Amino acid sequence: MSQVTVHAPFDGWAGPLDEAPDQVFSGRMLGDGLAVDPTSGTLLAPFDGVVTALPASRHAVSVRHASGVEVLIHVGLETVGLGGQGFAPQVKEGDRVSQGQALLTVDLDAVARGAVSLITPVVVTSEGAVLSTRAAGPVRAGQPLFRVSTGVAETGVVSDGGEASRSVAVVLPVGLHARPAAKLGAAIKDLSADARIVAGSKEGAVRSPIALMALGVANGQTVTVSATGRDAARAVDRLVELLAGGLDEPHHSAPVAAPTPVRAARDGLLTGATGSPGLAIGPAHWLRFAAVEVVELGEGYHIEAGRLDRAVAQADEELRVEGGDVMAAHRAFLDDPELRGAAEAGLLNGLSAGAAWRDACQAAAAAMRALSDHRMAERADDLLDVERRVLLNLTGGGTKIDAPEGVIVLADELLPSQLMALAGRVAGIALKKGGATAHVSLLASGLGLPLLAAVGHGLDAIEQGSPIVLDATEGRIELTPSPARLAEAQDRLEMNRLRQAAVLEAAAQPCHTADGVRIEVFANLASTLEAALAVKAGAEGCGLLRTEFLFADRAQAPDEAEQVAAYQAVADALQGRPLVIRTLDPAGDKPLAFLPTPPEANPALGLRGVRAARSRPDILDAQLRAICAVKSTAPVAVMIPMVSSVEETTWARERLDAACGRDNRPLFGLMIETPAAAVIADRLAPLVDFVSIGTNDLAQYTLAMDREHPALTGQCDALHPAVLRLIGQTVAGARGVKWVGVCGGLASDPLAAPILVGLGVTELSAAPAAVAEIKATVRRFTMEQCQALARRALVAPTAEAVRSLAREALAPAGDAR
């Protein structure tokens, strides 16, 4: 394995590719790298090499190192449409260049006026490359930007004899540049074919964006697409269709304003996405984490293998003790055979345990990020958390984090293990990155720790030790609170503390409205530990047991016996309370190795829930048999996710009858997560015992917003009147069932509780940490008051207007945010 240092091509500010407002780069369709916001106008060679591509538009340049590492420097975004204006090349294709040699001079002012953004992706396009030692923040031209390790992976297609070829006139307004080249490569990733495009005397492999860009294909030019291999004909047809259809490329008649990754403070406030609600006051405390330093060369295979085994075993035990579905997924990484195999290969090549583990984890994380699905970035972050945990065990550093008690922690981002290390000591957390559904947000919510995510670079304005007010419920940080404001917030905190003590004291009692209507408050769970915590918090049962923690990140599905033991342990921890078990719901951020699916442009609309079960009914049948074997003095129920038709419901019920027998069948219910299911609830109700509304997915499908999309964080609000109307329609259609519940995030929101009760919901299944508060909120209202509030919410113009109505309704008893 060799390493190549890539040097900064400009003065400027370096950050992750995620900050580039273009999915081709932020989704790493071309490869991994960094983004540089340039402040100097001369682009320098990143290393010694050969210029392999310099298109006529002069907006990008590619250089290949002697080792085979190839780097694309794409100056600005949507700059291909400038037609070369603002760019002056100092070299030509085929020239040999030295590191630091001028390749282009760029008129930054002229380019900025015509571009979407000046952010310049510096991307490694060669396959099998792994990045490390990345720079961040201010950089100078010629300064090391990142290192690239080569020789990690080899890819290719073995021809099975198939051949195909077609000609097509290309429809691309500004020719075949970086983005369409990346799209073409991604389009045939799932096919066994070696595809190439011939333009005149030049030829380029479709799987190499650099090679395609070097063809210089113009709009209207006729090219030949050819392929060999088992899927040759399919590959050619797919590529021809894309080239003739324009690949959804924009016309460059006018630049479009780019979203900025910086949120500047306004009126002393910064805003972000609520990851976990709550109020905190305290001094700001920045946490910045350095990479764990490891020795590169080992002391022999057997010595290093033993060290790695001990460090992995220690990490496994730490994660077992911490518990929860997030940590269970992390434990599964430790058992991943491919990850361990890659580390073994490194040990055999003479690396130390730390270097071998680091390289294996970073290669796997890079592969996840290269899938161009932003949901997979979180899975890559989880893997890097596991990497860090094992490396700290190897070096003796441990996972302890130095943060004084009572501070508000500020960080670019936090890994789950780092958040768990802070729990119980800090007052709150604010992050530049992340989102409301990220794993750290879910963990913080379960711990009752206020967390504000996606604040952006404006967080840098807060100095170490300065007093701030973090109102995660309202999604804001007050940067310069006056003494009077600090005193007011402190009084509110004390009032909340006293009220919370009273709320917890009453949490064990059954929940009724103020006029005596019974409303069950259950908990959403993902482990035995959470079940015990939920009981302590006053949960009357489990309204949603997520079972993905048993299936995630493993080569084979858990057998029936393992599932029975896991479900029985949760039932025992609930101590005779009802248990609703949701069947497996693999999707997007929950890929399963033993349930392979072809790449999906939009996984949220693909093989979800019951659809995945129908593709592998053997997995569903084993899970149903395991659920039927659970023993409890309280009802045990099966809940099928993502149903959208009567036919799917009938099929699932027949599978349950076959697995358990009609006489031994547990209660059977559905998650109402699609608008289709809500609209036909009256048709579904006669087939089931209960329904539970999953507001997270119902909101994103109703509003046509990806709830995990960073640019839409906070907008996909389940209190939108359209979503509330579907909830009301579900309740009206399902009147004959035993109960109508809500198990999505809305059930944990005190502002939503009286509205949901007013719509007719009879069971709320919340995060364990929210159970006591939800019970206390419901007890404050009569059913008539809840219904009146619900009627007003249904005719409100926006979700924020609904929230304002709810705040007003809750205000008389004091602000309990």
Side-chain angles (χ1 to χ4, degrees), residues 251-275:
H251 291 269
H252 289 263
S253 55
V256 180
T260 172
V262 179
R263 285 199 184 109
R266 293 183 179 180
D267 300 324
L269 295 177
L270 284 172
T271 60
T274 299

Side-chain angles (χ1 to χ4, degrees), residues 557-567 621-627 629 659:
D559 61 28
E560 202 170 313
E562 183 181 350
Q563 292 189 60
V564 171
Y567 305 149
D621 291 345
Q623 187 171 27
L624 294 175
R625 288 193 297 270
I627 295 171

Side-chain angles (χ1 to χ4, degrees), residues 711-793:
L712 300 176
T713 297
Q715 296 183 51
C716 190
D717 192 334
L719 278 179
H720 191 288
V723 181
L724 295 179
R725 291 188 179 209
L726 285 176
I727 294 173
Q729 189 169 349
T730 300
V731 173
R735 291 197 185 280
V737 301
K738 296 182 184 296
W739 75 86
V740 176
V742 170
C743 59
L746 211 57
S748 299
D749 188 344
L751 292 178
I755 297 173
L756 295 174
V757 171
L759 290 172
V761 171
T762 57
E763 179 244 48
L764 300 170
S765 191
V771 165
E773 183 68 31
I774 294 298
K775 281 188 168 185
T777 302
V778 170
R779 290 179 180 133
R780 290 177 50 186
F781 294 85
T782 66
M783 180 56 74
E784 183 179 350
Q785 289 172 326
C786 290
Q787 291 170 343
L789 181 59
R791 286 193 295 270
R792 295 178 66 194

Side-chain angles (χ1 to χ4, degrees), residues 659-685:
C660 304
R662 293 192 178 185
D663 295 336
N664 190 41
R665 180 170 66 81
L667 294 174
F668 173 69
L670 305 177
M671 279 191 79
I672 304 297
E673 302 168 271
T674 66
V679 170
I680 63 169
D682 60 326
R683 300 282 310 282
L684 301 175

Side-chain angles (χ1 to χ4, degrees), residues 338-351:
E338 291 193 9
L339 190 65
R340 294 300 298 270
E344 286 283 318
L347 297 176
L348 290 170
N349 284 331
L351 293 179

Side-chain angles (χ1 to χ4, degrees), residues 476-497:
R476 67 189 188 189
I477 302 172
E478 299 177 36
L479 302 185
T480 54
S482 66
R485 173 61 183 131
L486 286 172
E488 176 192 347
Q490 192 64 53
D491 289 345
R492 198 174 105 198
L493 265 182
E494 180 61 18
M495 181 177 66
N496 285 353
R497 187 188 66 79

